[in-house]
Amino acid sequence: MTAQPRKNADRAPMLVYKDVRKRYGSFTALDGVSLHVNPGEVVCLIGPSGSGKSTLLRCTNGLETLDGGEVLFEGKPLPKSDVEMRGVRQRMGMVFQNFELFPHKTALENVATGLITVKKMPADEANRRAMALMAKVGLSDKTANYPSNLSGGQQQRVAIARALAMEPHVMLFDEPTSALDPETVGEVLNVMRQLALEGMTMIVVTHEMSFARRVASWVVVFEKGKLLEEGPPTQIFDAPLKERTRDFLSHLGWDG
Amino acid sequence: MNLDWSIVWSSRWLLLEGAALTVLLTALTMLISVPGGILLALMRGSRFKPVSLFATGFVELFRNLPLLLLVYWAFYVMPVLTGLALSPFVTGLTALCLNVSAYNSETFRSGIASIRKGQGEAGLALGMSRAQVFGEIILPQAWRRVLPVLASTWVSLFKDTSLVSVIAVGELAHTAMQIRSQSFRVLEMLTAMAAIYWLMGYPQAKLVDWIHRKYGVRE
Ligand SMILES: Nc1ncnc2c1ncn2[C@@H]1O[C@H](COP(=O)(O)OP(=O)(O)O)[C@@H](O)[C@H]1O
Ligand SMILES: [Mg+2]
């Protein structure tokens, strides 16, 4: 129906998922998911809890292995070897629901650690880079704090800076604001919106429908390990093709 | 009863030497058994079955044998097995290390298991290798959690080193027993020995209490 072209559809896709399958024992978490992400797109994954959204992200950077299908990143299938996978992971940033900052490192050290251990950057240069990223997420005054002395929103912004430090080509966000107090959700979403404006390719699993509505260029609805529906936000939020998309959204209190 | 405490004073240098050896034995055992315990814990978690089976067997064997038996075993059996003539000190040290490494391995294993899975995943997601994840993220956090347990192990070990006196390692217990049997001053020497162990052990125990308070309950 809506024939508006998808963002950067003329460019080679950053990520392609072909019939991706993932099982946990006898439970099928991903049941043949096909999907692609163009460079510069913000793709929001929405859908009921347990529908496989996190699993898809984790299959993207190899935290889980596939049971079927394939994932192409920048045109190449995800490598099998550990060493090559590490190279791929450096080009994918990941932000977790529970932040997963390293509690024994200061905020600045958290941001610099990937540069130092993985990229073998000299410490002073890494710290300079980390400093700039802390400024970017608005936390220049918190560099010496340990995670336990930061609010949830601040921790998540440090976690975003930590991922950005590796200069990823795509950022994967897994419910980045779900564990936050309501008053700190906005500061994290603002950082993410800023990233989107700068043209970062992003996949965002979220329950923040107004964020998805305003920032996403493409929205994918999951249900029981399958794609229920995908389309631009106007389609998903204003005129969903599937009745169950409408049900899911109204369940969240979204009334279009 | 006729007590002659002068025997303690006249043996002071011998006793001091024995005490020094006790401390040395404790320190060396711990110095070897901490890395040993980490290595065994890692081996137990290995995805390579023979490695994890070997480590499990090692730990379950040496953790569940009486230390005294282990000391005798090392003294009589090890030379036959290895063909080496080891000094009593090295033999005693080996027995202690086998036992304490097995203990420490369990300590580290539970310490490592107590770190959230997401921590390692966050490291992997940055592109770290498994070894980097362990060294940079898991071990430093596990370390804080196991420190109180390691400290307790140290204090028991300090006392348990006395068991190697049975194979004539000249540490404090053996030295005191030697003096006793030469001078027949049984009560004096046993009392002196108890006093020296207590004077050295009590501050250590207090230090451990402090470590427990400082690091014990976190998060
Ligand atoms: N490691 C695991 N072992 C077993 N089941 C899992 C595991 N991880 C996820 N699952 C299951 O897979 C399903 C999809 O999970 P997930 O991708 O986390 O869903 P979502 O992120 O959409 O809420 C859930 O039912 C979950 O219980
Ligand atoms: Mg999830």
Side-chain angles (χ1 to χ4, degrees):
Chain A
M1 44 164 283
T2 39
Q4 54 196 151
R6 202 169 150 178
K7 188 178 179 190
N8 291 333
D10 53 328
R11 291 171 59 188
M14 170 92 46
L15 278 162
V16 180
Y17 301 84
K18 288 186 188 164
D19 195 31
V20 169
R21 290 168 191 279
K22 176 69 189 175
R23 280 189 315 270
Y24 294 108
S26 62
F27 179 81
T28 304
L30 291 176
D31 192 7
V33 171
S34 296
L35 164 81
H36 73 272
V37 178
N38 294 327
E41 269 192 316
V42 176
V43 173
C44 281
L45 308 184
I46 65 175
S49 139
S51 57
K53 308 178 299 293
S54 301
T55 305
L56 190 80
L57 287 193
R58 296 165 58 81
C59 285
T60 309
N61 70 350
L63 290 180
E64 303 286 356
T65 52
L66 307 185
D67 292 316
E70 66 176 342
V71 178
L72 304 178
F73 175 52
E74 299 185 319
K76 293 196 201 72
L78 292 182
K80 295 268 180 286
S81 90
D82 224 35
V83 179
E84 284 176 274
M85 196 62 221
R86 269 185 256 154
V88 167
R89 286 190 181 130
Q90 290 176 46
R91 287 177 279 143
M92 298 179 179
M94 190 168 206
V95 175
F96 299 83
Q97 184 174 344
N98 298 320
F99 331 131
E100 300 297 352
L101 288 184
F102 307 131
H104 57 298
K105 292 179 187 286
T106 64
L108 192 76
E109 288 166 349
N110 263 276
V111 179
T113 192
L115 295 172
I116 295 169
T117 51
V118 178
K119 297 213 167 178
K120 309 290 179 207
M121 190 180 278
D124 54 343
E125 194 187 337
N127 286 337
R128 226 176 306 122
R129 282 264 290 275
M131 211 56 125
L133 283 159
M134 287 292 285
K136 185 183 169 77
V137 298
L139 291 171
S140 293
D141 54 336
K142 303 287 184 194
T143 52
N145 286 44
Y146 282 89
S148 55
N149 292 324
L150 294 171
S151 73
Q154 291 168 338
Q155 287 187 60
Q156 196 58 299
R157 284 187 281 158
V158 174
I160 293 172
R162 176 177 70 178
L164 288 175
M166 303 303 282
E167 302 187 305
H169 300 184
V170 58
M171 286 283 285
L172 313 172
F173 291 87
D174 193 357
E175 299 199 31
T177 59
S178 295
L180 298 179
D181 295 331
E183 64 267 28
T184 66
V185 167
E187 65 195 51
V188 172
L189 292 180
N190 280 336
V191 168
M192 292 169 62
R193 188 174 298 127
Q194 184 58 37
L195 268 183
L197 287 175
E198 292 166 14
M200 175 62 79
T201 311
M202 297 161 56
I203 306 182
V204 184
V205 175
T206 187
H207 292 299
E208 295 289 333
M209 291 305 141
S210 53
F211 175 86
R213 177 77 171 88
R214 287 168 56 195
V215 182
S217 46
W218 197 254
V219 179
V220 179
V221 188
F222 269 71
E223 189 190 57
K224 294 186 179 139
K226 286 195 169 82
L227 266 185
L228 176 61
E229 176 172 1
E230 61 177 325
T234 45
Q235 171 195 322
I236 301 296
F237 293 107
D238 301 339
L241 300 178
K242 295 280 169 62
E243 189 57 36
R244 289 207 302 285
T245 302
R246 196 187 304 273
D247 290 346
F248 168 69
L249 290 172
S250 67
H251 190 71
L252 285 183
W254 181 269
D255 45 18
Chain B
M1 196 148 59
N2 187 7
L3 293 180
D4 178 8
W5 294 98
S6 68
I7 183 70
V8 176
W9 180 248
S10 60
S11 323
R12 63 191 184 279
W13 297 117
L14 279 176
L15 289 171
L16 197 66
E17 226 173 85
L21 208 59
T22 289
V23 172
L24 183 69
L25 206 51
T26 309
L28 276 180
T29 302
M30 220 45 182
L31 210 62
I32 295 167
S33 301
V34 163
I38 295 174
L39 189 70
L40 283 166
L42 280 177
M43 286 168 69
R44 273 193 102 165
S46 166
R47 280 167 296 180
F48 191 50
K49 259 273 164 306
V51 172
S52 70
L53 274 178
F54 170 82
T56 305
F58 183 99
V59 170
E60 292 308 340
L61 177 65
F62 291 116
R63 200 166 60 114
N64 294 304
L65 285 179
L67 187 50
L68 185 64
L69 179 72
L70 210 52
V71 172
Y72 276 123
W73 181 86
F75 187 70
Y76 289 109
V77 181
M78 228 177 40
V80 181
L81 285 184
T82 62
L84 296 171
L86 299 173
S87 69
F89 182 82
V90 174
T91 307
L93 182 64
T94 307
L96 290 170
C97 285
L98 290 174
N99 177 260
V100 179
S101 292
Y103 261 105
N104 285 351
S105 136
E106 289 301 277
T107 305
F108 277 105
R109 206 160 67 105
S110 64
I112 290 166
S114 73
I115 308 300
R116 264 205 318 270
K117 193 158 155 270
Q119 283 287 301
E121 290 178 345
L124 289 177
L126 287 173
M128 289 185 186
S129 67
R130 287 185 182 280
Q132 286 169 335
V133 166
F134 184 75
E136 277 288 314
I137 297 162
I138 309 294
L139 191 57
Q141 294 184 56
W143 193 248
R144 302 206 118 187
R145 308 213 177 166
V146 303
L147 194 62
V149 187
L150 287 181
S152 301
T153 304
W154 171 285
V155 169
S156 335
L157 171 64
F158 177 76
K159 291 174 285 185
D160 289 347
T161 53
S162 59
L163 288 170
V164 303
S165 62
V166 298
I167 57 167
V169 178
E171 43 64 75
L172 180 55
H174 185 258
T175 305
M177 296 305 193
Q178 286 290 102
I179 299 168
R180 177 208 60 179
S181 57
Q182 281 154 23
S183 64
F184 304 105
R185 291 285 162 202
V186 177
L187 207 87
E188 292 86 337
M189 283 322 292
L190 285 180
T191 308
M193 187 172 132
I196 298 172
Y197 269 113
W198 189 87
L199 283 173
M200 291 171 77
Y202 183 71
Q204 294 179 35
K206 286 286 118 181
L207 186 66
V208 170
D209 286 348
W210 179 80
I211 290 172
H212 274 273
R213 273 200 306 277
K214 188 154 181 345
Y215 295 102
V217 271
R218 288 216 156 205
E219 282 175 273

